[in-house]
Amino acid sequence: GLDLEPLAPPLPRGSIRQELGLPPDALLIGCVARLVPIKDHDTLLKAFAGLEDPRAHLLLAGDGPERATLEAKAGARVHFLGFRRDLRELYGDLDLAVLSSRNEGFPVALIEALSAGVPVVATRVGGVPDLLQGHPGALMVEPGNPGALRTALQEALRDLKSLTNGAQERAPAVRALYSRRRLLEDLGREYGNLSPGSPRPRGRR
């Protein structure tokens, strides 16, 4: 159960580009994740390095023990943002979200991106398929494969308008499904079912 309503469009756009000194037509691909081995940023950096579109920039939002190692491998169009709390501004500026993890539970970063109407490319691990299967704004690839991830990113950038439309159309449903309100209502309903002699609880208003 997440507080996703602050990510409901329209979101502010332009502040991250301004912060980094990037032009308005830059294509911002963002990965929101801790900089730790399980997130496999190394594969992401290799995939991004081969992208054909010179307008593409990769934003890594998060911090961790891998930062210095990753910074040494990153090119000029890779930007390390550190830990961020301004999620509205961040997701408002992203054109595409990416997650390259080798393993995941149920990634909050992808839920946030889809709630904001941002299309995603992610590895098919853990709970990711449960979240993305059949989603019109999402592409999945196998983990640990820079070539496959690069191909998916290039496909997403070529078809960005269609993927964005799909993500924006599904965003209200994502926010409703993974919201704190929905969780509390479901829990109340289940407790009511376990106590047949008690009045059934009403949903929060």
Side-chain angles (χ1 to χ4, degrees):
L2 303 170
D3 182 14
L4 299 172
E5 284 310 310
L7 295 176
L11 298 177
R13 188 171 178 87
S15 63
I16 303 297
R17 284 173 168 79
Q18 184 177 10
E19 175 185 330
L20 298 174
L22 300 178
D25 66 342
L27 296 172
L28 302 191
I29 302 170
C31 178
V32 181
R34 293 174 297 124
L35 303 183
V36 293
I38 197 67
K39 301 298 183 179
D40 199 10
H41 290 87
D42 189 57
T43 289
L44 176 56
L45 290 179
K46 291 175 182 176
F48 179 78
L51 284 187
E52 300 167 353
D53 198 324
R55 298 173 299 163
H57 289 256
L58 177 61
L59 312 185
L60 300 183
D63 219 333
E66 293 285 293
R67 178 163 182 166
T69 301
L70 294 170
E71 284 180 327
K73 301 176 181 179
R77 290 185 290 124
V78 178
H79 309 274
F80 290 79
L81 303 183
F83 180 76
R84 307 290 295 224
R85 293 187 181 275
D86 54 343
L87 295 184
R88 281 177 52 81
E89 289 74 15
L90 177 61
Y91 287 112
D93 247 10
L94 290 187
D95 296 294
L96 181 67
V98 60
L99 196 65
S100 53
S101 299
R102 291 184 176 272
N103 192 21
E104 280 289 345
F106 209 66
V108 171
L110 293 185
I111 296 174
E112 290 173 342
L114 295 175
S115 295
V118 178
V120 304
V121 173
T123 45
R124 189 182 285 104
V125 295
V128 173
D130 294 328
L131 174 62
L132 300 186
Q133 193 69 46
H135 194 292
L139 299 176
M140 286 187 288
V141 298
E142 296 307 312
N145 188 331
L149 183 55
R150 181 185 307 123
T151 297
L153 290 173
Q154 289 179 162
E155 179 183 343
L157 291 178
R158 284 195 300 267
D159 199 25
L160 191 57
K161 183 176 181 180
S162 176
L163 284 173
T164 301
N165 287 340
Q168 291 177 348
E169 289 173 2
R170 190 69 67 85
V174 173
R175 291 195 300 273
L177 181 60
Y178 299 108
S179 71
R180 186 175 300 158
R181 174 174 179 170
R182 191 277 310 160
L183 174 64
L184 292 173
E185 289 179 349
D186 285 355
L187 286 173
R189 189 177 303 109
E190 290 304 313
Y191 278 115
N193 291 338
L194 292 172
S195 305
S198 302
R200 293 179 63 86
R202 295 182 178 181
R204 292 183 71 206
R205 298 185 183 278

